[in-house]
Amino acid sequence: MDDYVRINQDNWNARVPIHLASDFYDVAGFKSGRNPLRPFELAEIGDVAGRRLAHLQCHFGLDTLSWARLGAEVTGLDFSAAAIEQARSIAAECGLPARFVTADVYDAAQALGETYDIVYTGLGALVWLPDLTRWAETVAALLNPGGFLYLAEFHPFQNMLDDDTGTRVVRDYFDREAQVWEYPYTYTGDDVLEHQTSVQFDHGIGDVVSAIAAAGLRVEFLHEHDHTLFRRFADLVESGGVYRRPAGAPGIPLMYSLRASAR
């Protein structure tokens, strides 16, 4: 899919106004001080005050700006010009210092022209990238010596399971072919997208870790989590703002987080 970037740019540009108005993102709440970062991310990354942080695939920057509120010097990058325009607007309205750049993630080193103490990338980012080796090399090029990558992602195990119950294996874990989706909605509700086609790529845990190691980064930890942020399967139970399998049901990994340091 040589034109996957253009297809996905159109799709994500169309998502921006829908996401801005959604309860899912709660932009008004963010402007009033809400922190959308997940507790495990805050604990695993630690104190960011005075550190330079680049957020790759930042959408319209709520997570990026949350790190700014915690004292980081932040830069956000995304390939959606519409999203970056909104990120700059939100930063200005909130009085938060931040730099936002429109570029493809593979061009981040050249587009940003700087290096960082932390490269952060959040949930649902890697599925849009066909080449993890090139991504990891880009991350390594962005890191200062002693800096680190922090990645939080949805666990690929769940993609094997049926969407209704999450109890039957219906998909091949090792399928790496591009997946072309025609879907009228985004994940925040039932507003119809103007551009409904997207191209996505599945990656196993081994793919991720191997690419990061090959780029010269040292993996410090890989944590698997038994909860997620939405009702991925019908039987998930909400508790404290996250969703898990019900009590007594076998647990499955729903998210994971990884930290890897530059030598």
Side-chain angles (χ1 to χ4, degrees):
M1 292 291 299
D2 293 336
D3 56 350
Y4 79 93
V5 173
R6 178 191 57 77
I7 292 170
N8 288 338
Q9 279 178 320
D10 288 344
N11 181 259
W12 276 94
N13 283 334
R15 295 185 194 215
V16 170
I18 295 172
H19 289 183
L20 280 170
S22 70
D23 292 338
F24 182 93
Y25 280 97
D26 185 19
V27 174
F30 173 83
K31 291 177 179 179
S32 298
R34 180 183 65 86
N35 186 338
L37 297 170
R38 279 58 63 179
F40 71 84
E41 293 179 297
L42 295 167
E44 292 174 349
I45 289 181
D47 184 11
V48 298
R51 307 196 76 178
R52 305 186 72 241
L53 180 149
H55 181 182
L56 303 182
Q57 297 168 271
C58 69
H59 199 25
F60 48 72
L62 298 192
D63 287 356
T64 323
L65 294 172
S66 294
W67 293 117
R69 280 179 170 161
L70 293 171
E73 180 184 340
V74 301
T75 298
L77 177 142
D78 199 274
F79 73 167
S80 165
I84 291 298
E85 180 182 359
Q86 293 301 322
R88 291 169 177 158
S89 176
I90 293 168
E93 185 173 344
C94 294
L96 293 169
R99 177 189 180 206
F100 287 102
V101 176
T102 303
D104 185 82
V105 67
Y106 291 129
D107 299 326
Q110 296 77 21
L112 299 182
E114 299 175 351
T115 54
Y116 300 85
D117 304 310
I118 303 168
V119 172
Y120 168 81
T121 189
L123 295 157
L126 296 188
V127 73
W128 304 100
L129 303 178
D131 187 345
L132 287 190
T133 297
R134 187 179 173 195
W135 165 81
E137 291 170 348
T138 299
V139 169
L142 288 169
L143 282 170
N144 292 323
F148 64 87
L149 161 71
Y150 183 82
L151 166 68
E153 261 295 0
F154 296 113
H155 202 291
F157 177 86
Q158 64 185 329
N159 294 334
M160 296 191 304
L161 306 177
D162 69 286
D163 292 328
D164 293 331
T165 69
T167 60
R168 295 179 297 110
V169 175
V170 297
R171 301 182 186 91
D172 184 349
Y173 181 83
F174 298 100
D175 182 3
R176 299 294 182 261
E177 294 298 319
Q179 301 173 22
V180 180
W181 296 92
E182 294 286 344
Y183 194 68
Y185 313 112
T186 181
Y187 48 82
T188 60
D190 56 4
D191 293 292
V192 176
L193 289 164
E194 180 181 358
H195 297 281
Q196 300 177 5
T197 307
S198 67
V199 185
Q200 300 178 32
F201 309 87
D202 281 342
H203 307 287
I205 291 288
D207 301 331
V208 177
V209 173
S210 296
I212 289 169
L217 303 181
R218 182 180 67 84
V219 176
E220 298 179 17
F221 61 72
L222 170 62
H223 294 156
E224 296 174 293
H225 305 280
D226 68 351
H227 63 274
T228 188
L229 305 182
F230 63 103
R231 186 165 276 114
R232 176 66 174 82
F233 305 113
D235 70 341
L236 296 189
V237 177
E238 191 273 334
S239 176
V242 299
Y243 294 83
R244 291 183 170 89
R245 301 301 287 272
I252 62 172
L254 294 169
M255 292 194 294
Y256 71 95
S257 53
L258 179 150
R259 178 164 159 163
S261 56
R263 296 177 173 84

